[in-house]
Amino acid sequence: MSAQTIKAAALRLFALRGYDGVPLSEIAKEVGIRTPSIYAHFSSKDDLFMAVFEDVLAEHSMRLERLIERLKGRSVEERLYTVLHDTCQTYLLSEEHMTFLKRTMLFPTAGLKDSLLERFTATEDRLNGMLRDIFTDGIASGLLREEKTDDLIVSFYCLLDGTFIQQFYYRPDDWENRLQTVWRIYWQGLTKR
């Protein structure tokens, strides 16, 4: 049994029930092995969970790189809106990875909370760099108001997080309408008048 097969089963189960809701014995049963066989690949449940988390972050980074490439040559508004829309839709992850990440970050297991936050923050630095470049371009061109780029990034994350959560409360068409309204107001607040 490969470590990848074990991680795939663990991802499915952790996404459904979280860290505390999945014993190693259930992961072993899912892949058709005995629980001690997991230890040939992972030193502990924490080690397996963090390996799954690292895989999710790696997918996020890969998709972010593709998004950055796709946005080259677009306007400041198009780049910001596309980051907002695409990230809200998938958090730049597959459905299963997104569910895992959402559950993990909203309800982290106490013993891993600091490690999870540290790794997530390090991965988010790449997105911060992309946003910093977009906001810097907008300010330099005279399109955006002069504000500290770090403050603009924080405001964007608040918009992103709120919009992301909204999609779980409303039907897709209602969510799209809300996104359009919120984006229009946010964009008006960013631009020079």
Side-chain angles (χ1 to χ4, degrees):
M1 186 57 50
S2 73
Q4 204 55 40
T5 303
I6 294 168
K7 287 191 295 184
L11 169 66
R12 273 191 307 281
L13 294 169
F14 288 142
L16 286 172
R17 295 199 303 278
Y19 177 91
D20 294 323
V22 181
L24 281 179
S25 59
E26 191 169 345
I27 296 167
K29 183 179 177 184
E30 178 87 6
V31 296
I33 60 175
R34 297 175 60 109
T35 305
S37 298
I38 290 176
Y39 294 107
H41 302 282
F42 304 97
S43 63
S44 65
K45 182 178 174 181
D46 288 0
D47 185 38
L48 172 57
F49 189 83
M50 290 304 291
V52 170
F53 188 67
E54 290 293 337
D55 285 354
V56 169
L57 294 180
E59 181 189 339
H60 175 72
S61 293
M62 179 192 64
R63 288 182 180 223
L64 179 58
E65 292 302 323
R66 282 192 294 208
L67 177 61
I68 289 169
E69 202 52 42
R70 203 174 85 221
L71 294 177
K72 285 184 177 174
R74 293 198 184 177
S75 72
V76 169
E77 183 177 11
E78 285 177 300
R79 286 185 283 166
L80 283 175
Y81 181 78
T82 302
V83 171
L84 174 66
H85 190 270
D86 287 13
T87 305
C88 281
Q89 291 287 59
T90 64
Y91 207 76
L92 303 174
L93 294 167
S94 66
E95 177 95 17
E96 195 168 60
H97 283 106
M98 181 179 71
T99 302
F100 171 84
L101 184 63
K102 183 174 49 172
R103 179 183 291 277
T104 298
M105 297 312 293
L106 290 175
F107 309 105
T109 188
L112 295 175
K113 185 176 182 175
D114 290 341
S115 296
L116 293 167
L117 287 173
E118 182 180 314
R119 290 297 305 127
F120 182 80
T121 301
T123 301
E124 195 176 63
D125 285 345
R126 183 70 175 113
L127 181 55
N128 290 346
M130 180 177 68
L131 291 172
R132 186 170 288 108
D133 291 346
I134 295 170
F135 285 123
T136 300
D137 289 351
I139 292 168
S141 71
L143 178 64
L144 301 182
R145 294 182 359 206
E146 296 231 8
E147 296 284 343
K148 294 180 194 170
T149 54
D150 286 344
D151 292 348
L152 293 170
I153 291 169
V154 167
S155 74
F156 188 82
Y157 279 134
C158 287
L159 173 67
L160 173 64
D161 290 343
T163 307
F164 178 77
I165 294 297
Q166 289 280 302
Q167 68 186 315
F168 299 101
Y169 299 149
Y170 301 99
R171 291 188 321 255
D173 56 329
D174 291 336
W175 177 80
E176 283 288 343
N177 289 334
R178 285 171 173 270
L179 175 63
Q180 294 301 317
T181 300
V182 132
W183 174 254
R184 179 180 48 80
I185 293 168
Y186 180 78
W187 182 250
Q188 287 172 354
L190 281 180
T191 56
K192 286 186 172 180
R193 293 173 204 231

